[in-house]
Amino acid sequence: QVCYKKKQKTAFILGNSMVGKIYGFLITKKINHKSLVKVRSFSSAKVECMHDHVKPTIREFDSDHQILNVGTNDLKTEKTSS
């Protein structure tokens, strides 16, 4: 294993297409590079699919914070009880 000092805190924003228009580099710039913000958007992803996307992303990138936006694509398929 390689031991290294982390230069910058990182945050990941993960979600369906609603996070697609969030630009991580602009947020990083706005907060004066105190944290590196990365965004991953998975179009049309439902909660079950996001579960599959989140795990590898968190494993691959050692981020300090994760922000998830999930569930909105499941709302249109939910049946209401009569």
Side-chain angles (χ1 to χ4, degrees), residues 64-78:
D64 298 294
H65 304 282
Q66 300 85 31
I67 301 168
L68 305 175
N69 177 49
V70 297
T72 54
N73 288 327
D74 291 280
L75 292 175
K76 61 185 171 190
T77 59
E78 288 293 319

Side-chain angles (χ1 to χ4, degrees), residues 30-73:
K30 186 74 173 175
I31 60 173
N32 297 322
H33 300 274
K34 291 178 184 171
S35 289
L36 177 63
V37 179
K38 296 182 179 188
V39 180
R40 287 232 169 137
S41 173
F42 304 95
S43 183
S44 301
K46 294 184 179 178
V47 172
E48 186 176 334
C49 296
M50 283 303 297
H51 183 267
D52 296 333
H53 293 303
V54 169
K55 280 187 173 184
T57 302
I58 291 173
R59 251 193 319 263
E60 183 179 348
F61 301 98
D62 184 26
S63 60
D64 298 294
H65 304 282
Q66 300 85 31
I67 301 168
L68 305 175
N69 177 49
V70 297
T72 54
N73 288 327

Side-chain angles (χ1 to χ4, degrees), residues 3-39:
C3 186
Y4 64 94
K5 184 178 178 184
K6 229 177 174 182
K7 295 179 182 179
Q8 191 175 37
K9 288 189 176 191
T10 58
F12 252 102
I13 301 173
L14 300 140
N16 54 29
S17 58
M18 293 184 75
V19 302
K21 298 289 183 180
I22 298 174
Y23 300 107
F25 67 93
L26 292 176
I27 298 171
T28 299
K29 184 178 175 181
K30 186 74 173 175
I31 60 173
N32 297 322
H33 300 274
K34 291 178 184 171
S35 289
L36 177 63
V37 179
K38 296 182 179 188
V39 180

